[in-house]
Amino acid sequence: IWNMVARTAYTQLNYSVVLLMLCSILLLICFVLPLVQIFIADTYIGLVALTTFIFMTITFHPVVKFYKLPTLWLLTLPFASALFLAMTWTSAIRYWRGERTRWKERSYRNLLK
């Protein structure tokens, strides 16, 4: 799965550095920051972060239920978003190196450079 996402993630952003930065910031703000703030923030901000995390798990619940996964999978959403962000950056770095895609251990170079 890593290779499949890393192959196409930056392509879906139209090879835009601005969209990559925006995607990175939004993923961190929406999924990672609330989890971190629960443990390090003051009472009010920690409560807002906990509420955000609860709403995040509530909205993820139908997906977990659809795939008949254990309820503990609800807690994996911040990790999944961080993993997706890492794969997106892998895709961008490969593109900047001149590698358009990699499939079955074969690299396809960017012919436009």
Side-chain angles (χ1 to χ4, degrees):
I1 291 176
W2 176 277
N3 227 1
M4 188 179 348
V5 174
R7 248 183 325 133
T8 61
Y10 195 52
T11 305
Q12 291 176 354
L13 295 176
N14 294 321
Y15 306 110
S16 168
V17 175
V18 173
L19 289 177
L20 177 65
M21 294 301 161
L22 184 64
C23 175
S24 300
I25 291 167
L26 290 175
L27 278 172
L28 291 172
I29 288 172
C30 291
F31 295 104
V32 178
L33 189 63
L35 186 61
V36 171
Q37 291 297 319
I38 289 171
F39 299 108
I40 65 169
D42 293 337
T43 307
Y44 176 73
I45 294 174
L47 186 60
V48 171
L50 181 62
T51 305
T52 303
F53 187 74
I54 289 169
F55 281 121
M56 184 188 329
T57 57
I58 288 170
T59 58
F60 189 44
H61 186 262
V63 175
V64 170
K65 187 176 177 182
F66 177 80
Y67 287 107
K68 298 179 176 106
L69 297 170
T71 308
L72 284 176
W73 275 77
L74 293 172
L75 303 177
T76 65
L77 194 55
F79 174 73
S81 69
L83 187 61
F84 184 79
L85 184 58
M87 289 184 270
T88 303
W89 272 93
T90 300
S91 177
I93 291 168
R94 284 181 182 172
Y95 176 77
W96 294 330
R97 288 182 180 164
E99 186 179 320
R100 207 62 191 282
T101 188
R102 182 183 298 174
W103 179 248
K104 295 184 179 180
E105 300 307 317
R106 287 174 278 185
S107 295
Y108 299 92
R109 296 282 170 196
N110 187 351
L111 299 176
L112 300 175
K113 287 188 174 186

